[in-house]
Amino acid sequence: MLSTPSKRLAELDLLRLVAVLAGMAYGWLGVDARVWAMRPTELFGPGALLGEHVARLFFVISGFLVLESLRGRGAREFLLARLARIYPAYWVSVAAVALGAFLPGWIRLGPPLGIGEWAANLTLFQSVLGVPHAQPIYWALWAELRFFLLAAVLAAAGATYRRTVVFMSVWLAASLFAHKDEAVLQALFLREEAPYFLAGMAFALIRRHGPAIVPWGFAGVGWALAVYYAVRPEMRPGGSTPLLVVAAVTAVFALPALAAAGVFRIRERPWLTGLAELAYPLFLFHQVTAMALIPVLRRHLTPWAVVAVALAVSVALAYLVRHLVERPAVRLTRRRVATRAAAVKGA
């Protein structure tokens, strides 16, 4: 969701769009029935909430792209680049939600927050501080941030093939031993998200070094664990069957696997690259759009027309955030990293 590979892969651009559309579908249809004034499954069918699982494709893609971005980078450079991609647009998102919470007719998806709790949300460490997320979707960014911190350990050690495999093995084992009564270990090792990130890293190894038993083994174990976690009754979206959930999770692993193996390939297109670059701001702002527009539009338009209008507004908003916030922040960070590197080299 947040990374850029050394050589852009159009297949991953397309998958990022699939992931963000799935996340938007769940954010618009499944978070709160008050947005539509009725249950989303009554409007859009029993598969309406499967986007919650398909959106985890973001984690697979992040695992792939982060491992690619570690080549030739130290931990400091890697973290600065990642944080520059996360925080500026995230801060704008938190500000938008905070302002919207005071608008008449705004549907709040979380509990009321005080000033200190809004400030805690700006850090993205609100879960550690015991503060609710200002938007439910921020849980995914918290997972991404913890993955980046773990990946920085690998960057510090040097992301060779062997060290990467050792890192993945230790992480997988640690996530398996993080039981329900060990909340700190679960949070640190991302027990239920680790299978997706590890599978993405495995696919990056396959793409770079060719097919081998070890990375395919990680991908297979990741799929099995992801299915096991997803089919539990408390994890299944309302109206979906275990078979639908298994199919959604399998697709999340199968599509990147085909891209890694070279079976699924498409040509790079400027329009596809442009849309893929909007994936992160789209993810951040689609719920803001839903809370602001859907309660009003649903009174005058059909459900699918409401979705179309909300999508158009979300894309326009994401475009502005991408060009006015994200790009300047990334350019500034790159200049600072380059300046520091030159100073270290000349010292």
Side-chain angles (χ1 to χ4, degrees):
M1 178 170 59
L2 303 169
S3 308
T4 304
S6 54
K7 182 179 179 182
R8 195 164 197 104
L9 300 176
E11 301 90 344
L12 296 186
D13 283 342
L14 180 60
L15 293 182
R16 288 172 78 185
L17 289 179
V18 171
V20 74
L21 290 174
M24 292 171 71
Y26 179 68
W28 288 349
L29 310 180
V31 170
D32 199 318
R34 291 175 300 163
V35 174
W36 292 98
M38 64 189 305
R39 293 181 61 82
T41 50
E42 297 174 10
L43 289 170
F44 300 97
L49 307 186
L50 287 176
E52 177 185 12
H53 292 291
V54 179
R56 292 172 189 259
L57 179 58
F58 270 133
F59 297 155
V60 180
I61 296 170
S62 262
F64 190 113
L65 297 181
V66 161
L67 189 56
E68 286 290 294
S69 69
L70 286 181
R71 286 193 286 181
R73 281 183 172 179
R76 178 186 173 85
E77 183 183 356
F78 166 75
L79 277 178
L80 283 175
R82 294 307 95 214
L83 297 182
R85 293 297 306 275
I86 289 181
Y87 275 104
Y90 171 72
W91 288 330
V92 176
S93 172
V94 173
V97 178
L99 290 174
F102 296 98
L103 295 178
W106 182 273
I107 294 179
R108 184 183 291 113
L109 297 181
L113 301 179
I115 294 177
E117 292 171 316
W118 284 110
N121 266 267
L122 291 173
T123 70
L124 197 48
F125 283 86
Q126 56 266 29
S127 294
V128 176
L129 301 173
V131 174
H133 294 300
Q135 281 195 102
I137 61 169
Y138 291 160
W139 77 268
L141 291 183
W142 172 230
E144 291 271 1
L145 180 58
R146 285 175 287 160
F147 170 52
F148 294 157
L149 294 174
L150 288 172
V153 175
L154 178 59
T160 64
Y161 184 92
R162 178 171 293 182
R163 289 172 182 170
T164 299
V165 170
V166 171
F167 170 85
M168 294 169 66
S169 301
V170 172
W171 183 12
L172 177 60
S175 71
L176 290 174
F177 285 105
H179 299 295
K180 288 185 177 180
D181 56 343
E182 298 169 340
V184 174
L185 291 180
Q186 283 198 58
L188 179 61
F189 296 112
L190 297 100
R191 182 173 185 262
E192 298 189 4
E193 294 81 23
Y196 298 91
F197 289 117
L198 287 168
M201 296 176 73
F203 295 143
L205 292 177
I206 292 167
R207 181 83 178 209
R208 189 190 306 172
H209 300 285
I213 293 177
V214 171
W216 279 118
F218 275 108
V221 171
W223 170 82
L225 287 173
V227 168
Y228 170 74
Y229 295 142
V231 297
R232 291 173 301 168
E234 66 270 22
M235 289 296 295
R236 291 204 305 270
S240 62
T241 65
L243 184 60
L244 281 175
V245 172
V246 171
V249 173
T250 301
V252 164
F253 282 78
L255 292 174
L258 293 173
V263 176
F264 167 47
R265 289 190 177 182
I266 59 176
R267 290 184 178 180
E268 185 174 343
R269 305 287 186 184
W271 64 267
L272 179 59
T273 300
L275 286 176
E277 289 178 347
L278 299 181
Y280 179 47
L282 266 176
F283 176 79
L284 280 177
F285 289 91
H286 74 274
Q287 277 192 341
V288 176
T289 306
M291 289 183 285
L293 293 182
I294 292 177
V296 177
L297 295 178
R298 73 184 184 208
R299 304 170 191 162
H300 309 287
L301 301 174
T302 65
W304 288 111
V306 171
V307 169
V309 173
L311 178 60
V313 173
S314 296
V315 171
L317 183 58
Y319 180 86
L320 292 176
V321 172
R322 170 64 178 166
H323 288 272
L324 299 180
V325 179
E326 275 197 297
R327 282 189 170 179
V330 170
R331 284 197 296 265
L332 178 62
T333 303
R334 285 176 178 170
R335 283 200 298 268
R336 288 188 174 181
V337 169
T339 301
R340 178 178 175 81
V344 170
K345 186 176 180 180

